Amino acid sequence: MEWTTIWLFVVAALAMLIIPGPAVFYIMARSINQGKRAGVISVLGVSLGGAVHVVAGALGVSAILMTSATAFTIVKYVGAAYLIYLGCKTLFSRNEAEAAETEEEAPAVNLKKILYQSALVEIMNPKTALFFLAFFPQFISPAAGSVPAQFIGLGILFLVLAFLSDGSYALLAAHIRKRMTGSKVGARLQNRITGWIYISLGVFSAFASPGKS
């Protein structure tokens, strides 16, 4: 693969990553609700979920998902239901931050659980598979060598760029959290913002279709 192609891919990828999407809103919701560490871990989880889609795309599994209406529908609704579940759980649970004045004083969050949940949310998002299948082939040439190898190479590069971009949004959301932490009103607002973001993402995912980007 030529360097010119790689640089064009980087520019195109950054142009799309700068614009917040569902994954970014999910990550920011985590940071606002549970702090900077939770936000960064959620970025890592989303990256791991993205890696699954990259490997699946290289192996052709994602293509099967996109051509099977039944498979797409199952994955779509399971993922949407999980996001809505997270939203309802957040809305109706007591915000532990109400008893803390700073992030350092807040109870420790289960980082392993956040990593698992974030990866699962991304894996169950069929629009990610659709995006990779639509975007990556524009920069792949059979004459340049193994197509699966090129797909994985571009996937790794994209995930690194996405990690840096999403991480920036996670830190921004953590800064917003600091402004909100310290009052019961702010703590309740954190829960409401986070809960409704999850639910909105779930509803959005439920209406995703193979023909939409």
Side-chain angles (χ1 to χ4, degrees):
M1 186 176 296
E2 297 180 356
W3 281 106
T4 302
T5 302
I6 295 176
W7 280 114
L8 286 174
F9 176 84
V10 170
V11 172
L14 287 175
M16 288 183 290
L17 287 170
I18 291 175
I19 303 173
V24 169
F25 289 121
Y26 169 82
I27 289 166
M28 292 186 71
R30 280 288 189 186
S31 286
I32 290 174
N33 187 244
Q34 295 175 294
K36 181 170 61 178
R37 286 186 302 170
V40 173
I41 291 298
S42 67
V43 172
L44 180 58
V46 168
S47 296
L48 291 176
V52 172
H53 282 293
V54 168
V55 174
L59 296 177
V61 177
S62 293
I64 297 175
L65 177 65
M66 290 300 106
T67 56
S68 172
T70 300
F72 184 91
T73 300
I74 291 174
V75 172
K76 176 179 68 174
Y77 285 121
V78 169
Y82 186 65
L83 282 169
I84 293 173
Y85 160 75
L86 289 178
C88 292
K89 182 179 179 182
T90 303
L91 282 175
F92 295 108
S93 64
R94 177 181 178 272
N95 190 343
E96 294 179 344
E98 291 182 10
E101 293 184 358
T102 66
E103 182 178 348
E104 288 72 18
E105 294 171 346
V109 295
N110 189 330
L111 298 181
K112 289 184 179 180
K113 184 177 181 180
I114 292 174
L115 179 67
Y116 164 78
Q117 289 179 337
S118 302
L120 184 60
V121 165
E122 185 68 358
I123 290 172
M124 299 305 294
N125 181 10
K127 290 178 75 70
T128 300
L130 175 60
F131 169 75
F132 285 163
L133 285 177
F135 182 59
F136 287 10
Q138 310 302 319
F139 303 89
I140 292 177
S141 172
S146 170
V147 171
Q150 291 182 65
F151 196 100
I152 291 178
L154 291 176
I156 293 174
L157 179 56
F158 183 87
L159 291 176
V160 170
L161 295 173
F163 184 87
L164 296 175
S165 176
D166 293 348
S168 299
Y169 280 109
L171 296 178
L172 173 63
H175 178 72
I176 295 174
R177 169 188 166 86
K178 287 184 177 180
R179 295 298 184 92
M180 299 170 63
T181 301
S183 69
K184 291 184 178 180
V185 173
R188 286 194 294 268
L189 185 59
Q190 287 176 29
N191 262 18
R192 290 179 180 177
I193 291 175
T194 304
W196 283 113
I197 287 177
Y198 287 158
I199 292 174
S200 298
L201 290 175
V203 173
F204 175 80
S205 298
F207 286 96
S209 66
K212 296 178 181 179
S213 61

